[in-house]
Amino acid sequence: QVQLVESGGGLVQAGGSLTLSCAASGSIFRLNAMNWYRQAPGKQRELVASLPSAGTTTYADSVKGRFTISRDNANNTMYLQMNSLKPEDTAVYYCNVVSVHTTTRRPLSSWGQGTQVTVSS
């Protein structure tokens, strides 16, 4: 299977910055889409940013111009650079990877354990 390890969450003041990382390992033949989601208390999980293996990066309207998703294919790692953070960005952030399994060549969707981001006003 695929294991995802997230890091980089924490407490930051409004206007500050954080960078989240998500390292993938395991039975990975190829990484396709790499995504960041978040879930605030009492709310549904929402897609924050999506980075396909080819194509256009997309962002939620609420984070456009402030967040940047990127990937390091050599190390199977993706990042979420978050600038100008706002209290409403407070949530648990999850990475999600769609990969092709090494032996079955089937697509597999995997999730990280989540990392808490708290933005104080």
Side-chain angles (χ1 to χ4, degrees):
Q1 300 304 315
V2 175
Q3 295 78 43
L4 301 180
V5 178
E6 299 183 38
S7 60
L11 173 64
V12 65
Q13 289 188 332
S17 299
L18 283 174
T19 300
L20 305 183
S21 300
C22 176
S25 62
S27 302
I28 301 171
F29 174 71
R30 183 179 65 244
L31 288 176
N32 289 340
M34 304 184 81
N35 310 300
W36 285 99
Y37 286 79
R38 68 185 180 186
Q39 187 166 19
K43 295 187 177 180
Q44 289 188 332
R45 189 172 297 189
E46 65 171 344
L47 179 63
V48 175
S50 180
L51 181 56
S53 57
T56 305
T57 302
T58 58
Y59 296 93
D61 287 343
S62 58
V63 307
K64 282 181 181 177
R66 299 188 298 120
F67 289 12
T68 303
I69 187 173
S70 61
R71 60 195 287 170
D72 178 353
N73 288 325
N75 293 300
N76 289 342
T77 301
M78 70 169 172
Y79 304 93
L80 185 68
Q81 174 67 43
M82 305 184 293
N83 298 325
S84 302
L85 283 161
K86 304 176 181 180
E88 50 264 43
D89 294 319
T90 296
V92 178
Y93 284 71
Y94 298 90
C95 62
N96 165 250
V97 168
V98 179
S99 60
V100 176
H101 194 277
T102 303
T103 53
T104 67
R105 296 295 196 265
R106 291 180 176 178
L108 178 66
S109 179
S110 305
W111 291 85
Q113 80 280 7
T115 185
Q116 177 70 46
V117 172
T118 302
V119 184
S120 63
S121 57

